[in-house]
Each structure stands twice: as C-alpha cells, then as structure tokens.
Amino acid sequence: MISPTLRAIFLMLLGLPLMVAIALLRPELWILSAGWIAAVAALIAVDTLFGASVRHYSATVTAPPLLYVGSADDLAVGLTFSEGPLPARIEIRLEANELMGPQTTQGLRGWDRRYRPHTIRVTPPRRGIAEAVRLWSRWQGPLGLIQKRHIAPLNLSIPVTPNVRWVRDEAIRLFSRDAEFGIKTQIERGDGSEFDALREFASGMDRRAIDWKHSARHRHLLAKEFKTERNHNIIFAFDTGRLMSEPLGGVPKIDRAVTAGLLLAYVSLRAGDRTMFYGFSDRPGVSSGFLTGTSSFPKAQAMVAEMDYSEDEANFTLALSSLASRLERRSLIIIFSDFVDTISAELMLENVKRLTDRHLVLFATFEDAALAQMADAAPDTAQDVARAVIADTLLAERDVVLRRLQRLGVQVIESTPEKFSSELVSRYLQIKQRDML
C-alpha cells in the first residue's frame, strides 16, 4: 500500500512533463502551473508541520514472564505523545516470531491525556522461546497527505512452557476438600490395603476387617485399619517423535500429553508417590530421575519444558530398554504415544510386552478425530466413499492394536483432549484403590 506522502510526490512527478509541455506551447499558463505546484508543496508542508510528531512519540510493550501453550495471554501496549497534536487514528503491528501467533494491523482511536493503552492477545501454538522483535506504528497528518512511521525495538524473549496454569486450577479443584479441615496433615485410612492399626469394632464398620485372633486374645472385637499405600514409582514416558509432534486442535499432541502428565504428577506427588519424567524419540532424551514431594513440582515443570519436538520416528526398542534398565522395583509406567497402523505399532507392542513382565504399564493416547470425521462423513461423491473406507480401515487397525495391548495386561486410555486429563487421574486412583502396584 502506497503511503499518502509517496502518492503526493508521485502525482507531482507525473505532472512535470505536462507542465513542461504547457510552458513550451502556452507560456502564459506557466505561472498557473507553477502556482499549482507551490500550493501542493505548501499543503504537504502544513500537513507535516501540524501532524503528530515522531520525536514526541514513544511506544512500550510489557509481556508476562511466561507464556503457556494453547492459552491466551495479553501483552500490554502503551502509546504516548509527550507534546504536540494527537493523530485521529494510529495503526500498530507487532513483529514477532511464529510462537506469538499471526499478528494483524490494528487501528486505534481515542486518547486519555496523551496516553493510549492497548492489549495484544497472543496464543502460543507450541513450546519454545517467543520473541517480540519490533512494534510498528504509523499515522497520517490532519490533511491525509503524509504518513509518519515509528519503529520501536523490543527484543523481548518469553519462554513458552506447558500449561501449568490449568494444572494449578485443576489441582486446586481436586484438593479443595482439604480446606474444610484446616491445614493439618490428613491421614487417609480405610481406602488402601496397607495395615495401619487395630481399633475396637464399632457399628457400621466392615465385618471383613475384624481380626479374630486378636479379638479372642483381648476378649472383645477388634478391627484392622488400613491406610493408603505410598512411595510407589510413577514413570511418565513421553514419545516426542513425529506423530506426537503433530497438532491436535491447534496444539501439538505432546503438549496436551505433558499438561495431563503434570496434573497427574502433582496428584501423585501429593499422595506420597515418586515420579519420574522420561522423553524419547529416535533415542532416549530428557530424564529427570525420581522426584518426591510437591516441592519438586517446579523441577518437573522445567524438565518437561526441555522436551523438544522431533521429526523422527520413535525408537521404542532403544527407549524402553533404556528405561527398564534404570528401574529397580515394580513401577507404574505411563507411555504417552501414538501410532498409525498395526505395522508401525509392531515394535511398540513387542517392547511393551517386555515391560509388562515386571511393571504395570498404562498406554495413553488420543482419539483420532480426523479419521472418525472422515469415516462418518456423508458419502456425497465417490471420493468421499473411498476416503471413508480408508479411514474406517485405519480405525479398525487401531482398535486391533489397542485390544492386543489389553490382552498383554496393559491399561489403555484412548480419549479426547477435553477428557484426557480427568480419565488419566481417575485411572491412577483406580489402580491405587485396587492395589495393582
């Protein structure tokens, strides 16, 4: 788009040959042509003089310390004219990398004592470092003949991390019941299978908990009390390969898996278990070691933020063999991964089978909404029919793989992104309740 100033200069240059021709053919009209040129130049000068000055203009952008994947955040923009006239309308545009999302030119009107606040909303599509490079501003003079431009260097670098904001809110909701009883430690009795103490049997207690040997010795009924088991090993194994790096609803699958994993990690750390984060693609990647206590949750967040996206296929043989060699006791291994067909899943099945000989394995994946949509689409054309048949075949192969995993004794979760986290936590609590570890 040509600015008003360039357009005015272009019209003047375009009129020069015509004025030269007029001066040669009709000399008496030269004075009129020269006056027209002087009038245009005077108007441009007036527009420049009485327009808002670039020297008195400043722009600032304030960003939050962290941005979260798939979550919208606002950058605070402040536009200020220290003195002189104010433009009726000013346009701004943020120059940033792809982690800030696409940016558009925004036109702003109205000033509050020479200050104009504004917010730019950004939604990072993946993890990394979001960079805001410059803020471009432009406005026209009162006559619209010139355009002034200002470039404010920003050089802001903001880390984009997994969405722990959602994890925090969900954890508060899950543990809000503790607020009713104060801040003292709550001993959870009766839900586990680890013996805690004997107490006198009272009406309403489970008769199966009566200890007949001790009851006979003390000559009145005594019942066993149990407490929730603690100190289990919970391993979160994240496949960061090509399939998990693909977007699902605008956010990579691995980022959705990391968010759910962090929520379960907080729940398990609070329950007294030990957690470990492990990433892999074509080779083993990030490994956190075992973490204990909720105070180690920030370290868990930092470790998963280091898991990079990969375009390589996941090497399950190397990754799971390396993981198994680090474990000295029975553990719950949660594998966040994906597959396309039975052929690509063959190596995964073989290596998962080796893990099930000693550990309890939970395979967590997302439903393939794109395939389901193609399979259920109305067959309006022959191409729609062919696409539906292929999609239905791939879905059938997917079901075959999941059933084979279940026959191996693997716990399987296949859910939508909206229900993935809640189903993962529910399955963990169910495993603890059934004493499967």
Side-chain angles (χ1 to χ4, degrees):
M1 181 179 178
I2 302 175
S3 67
T5 305
L6 293 178
R7 188 163 53 244
I9 295 174
F10 177 74
L11 291 175
M12 290 177 61
L13 294 177
L14 191 63
L16 282 177
L18 179 60
M19 287 182 283
V20 171
I22 292 173
L24 294 175
L25 299 177
R26 299 289 300 274
E28 65 276 9
L29 297 179
W30 170 250
I31 298 176
L32 181 61
S33 301
W36 180 80
I37 295 175
V40 172
L43 289 175
I44 293 177
V46 169
D47 205 24
T48 304
L49 182 62
F50 289 96
S53 174
V54 175
R55 291 185 303 160
H56 301 146
Y57 173 74
S58 61
T60 60
V61 176
T62 305
L66 290 175
L67 295 176
Y68 301 101
V69 176
S71 178
D73 281 282
D74 292 331
L75 306 182
V77 180
L79 312 178
T80 305
F81 280 94
S82 59
E83 58 181 89
L86 299 173
R89 182 176 184 270
I90 186 171
E91 294 181 342
I92 63 171
R93 182 184 179 90
L94 180 67
E95 180 183 345
N97 65 354
E98 67 278 2
L99 289 188
M100 288 283 191
Q103 300 296 322
T104 59
T105 302
Q106 304 179 38
L108 310 177
R109 296 179 181 273
W111 297 86
D112 182 12
R113 296 181 181 179
R114 298 189 169 275
Y115 180 74
R116 178 60 164 87
H118 184 63
T119 56
I120 298 178
R121 176 150 292 190
V122 295
T123 305
R126 60 182 180 85
R127 287 175 287 113
I129 300 296
E131 296 181 353
V133 183
R134 302 178 188 87
L135 182 69
W136 295 72
S137 307
R138 67 183 182 187
W139 61 90
Q140 295 182 4
L143 301 179
L145 297 177
I146 65 161
Q147 184 180 87
K148 297 183 180 181
R149 181 174 298 170
H150 181 273
I151 304 173
L154 302 176
N155 299 322
L156 293 176
S157 296
I158 313 165
V160 181
T161 67
N163 193 357
V164 294
R165 176 188 298 156
W166 178 87
V167 173
R168 179 192 60 201
D169 296 341
E170 191 68 11
I172 290 174
R173 186 187 67 81
L174 287 173
F175 294 104
S176 59
R177 62 186 178 90
D178 293 344
E180 301 175 5
F181 305 102
I183 60 175
K184 294 184 179 180
T185 303
Q186 178 180 352
I187 301 176
E188 298 178 358
R189 291 191 174 92
D191 293 331
S193 59
E194 185 175 340
F195 175 77
D196 182 59
L198 287 174
R199 60 167 295 181
E200 186 173 353
F201 182 82
S203 177
M205 295 179 64
D206 189 356
R207 292 194 178 112
R208 291 175 296 181
I210 297 176
D211 189 326
W212 297 105
K213 182 183 292 187
H214 286 86
S215 297
R217 181 180 302 170
H218 294 279
R219 297 185 180 182
H220 60 270
L221 290 179
L222 297 176
K224 295 179 180 179
E225 276 190 342
F226 300 92
K227 64 181 179 180
T228 304
E229 299 79 4
R230 297 177 182 271
N231 205 33
H232 293 305
N233 289 346
I234 314 296
I235 290 89
F236 298 89
F238 294 97
D239 172 8
T240 61
R242 179 181 60 85
L243 291 177
M244 289 296 287
S245 297
E246 294 179 352
L248 178 63
V251 178
K253 295 177 184 177
I254 180 61
D255 289 325
R256 294 188 180 275
V258 162
T259 303
L262 284 173
L263 174 62
L264 180 54
Y266 186 87
V267 173
S268 58
L269 287 171
R270 180 150 180 166
D273 292 329
R274 305 195 307 163
T275 63
M276 172 181 173
F277 290 86
Y278 178 72
F280 65 92
S281 57
D282 59 327
R283 65 187 64 185
V286 173
S287 180
S288 66
F290 284 103
L291 308 175
T292 58
T294 54
S295 60
S296 62
F297 184 74
K299 182 179 179 181
Q301 177 189 350
M303 293 300 297
V304 296
E306 295 178 9
M307 295 182 186
D308 202 0
Y309 305 92
S310 175
E311 297 181 355
D312 301 319
E313 296 291 340
N315 189 338
F316 287 96
T317 302
L318 178 60
L320 297 185
S321 299
S322 176
L323 175 61
S325 65
R326 306 181 189 186
L327 304 178
E328 299 178 354
R329 50 179 284 198
R330 179 175 171 82
S331 307
L332 170 61
I333 302 176
I334 306 174
I335 302 176
F336 298 88
S337 185
D338 201 1
F339 56 90
V340 177
D341 50 29
T342 54
I343 298 175
S344 62
E346 202 62 42
L347 281 176
M348 179 195 69
L349 290 168
E350 181 180 344
N351 288 278
V352 168
K353 183 179 184 301
R354 294 195 185 100
L355 288 178
T356 56
D357 295 338
R358 185 179 179 186
H359 306 283
L360 178 62
V361 180
L362 171 60
F363 185 83
T365 187
F366 295 99
E367 291 183 0
D368 199 325
L371 283 179
Q373 185 177 2
M374 286 189 287
D376 297 336
D380 297 329
T381 63
Q383 187 178 8
D384 292 337
V385 175
R387 189 183 294 112
V389 170
I390 295 173
D392 187 68
T393 302
L394 292 175
L395 287 175
E397 291 189 1
R398 190 177 181 88
D399 290 338
V400 169
V401 174
L402 296 179
R403 285 198 297 269
R404 288 181 62 183
L405 284 170
Q406 290 174 338
R407 285 197 294 269
L408 293 174
V410 177
Q411 300 280 321
V412 176
I413 292 179
E414 184 187 25
S415 181
T416 60
E418 295 76 17
K419 300 179 181 179
F420 189 76
S421 299
S422 58
E423 291 193 13
L424 187 64
V425 174
S426 298
R427 186 64 60 89
Y428 162 77
L429 297 176
Q430 187 181 54
I431 289 172
K432 295 265 290 186
Q433 184 178 14
R434 294 182 179 179
D435 194 25
M436 299 176 68
L437 285 175

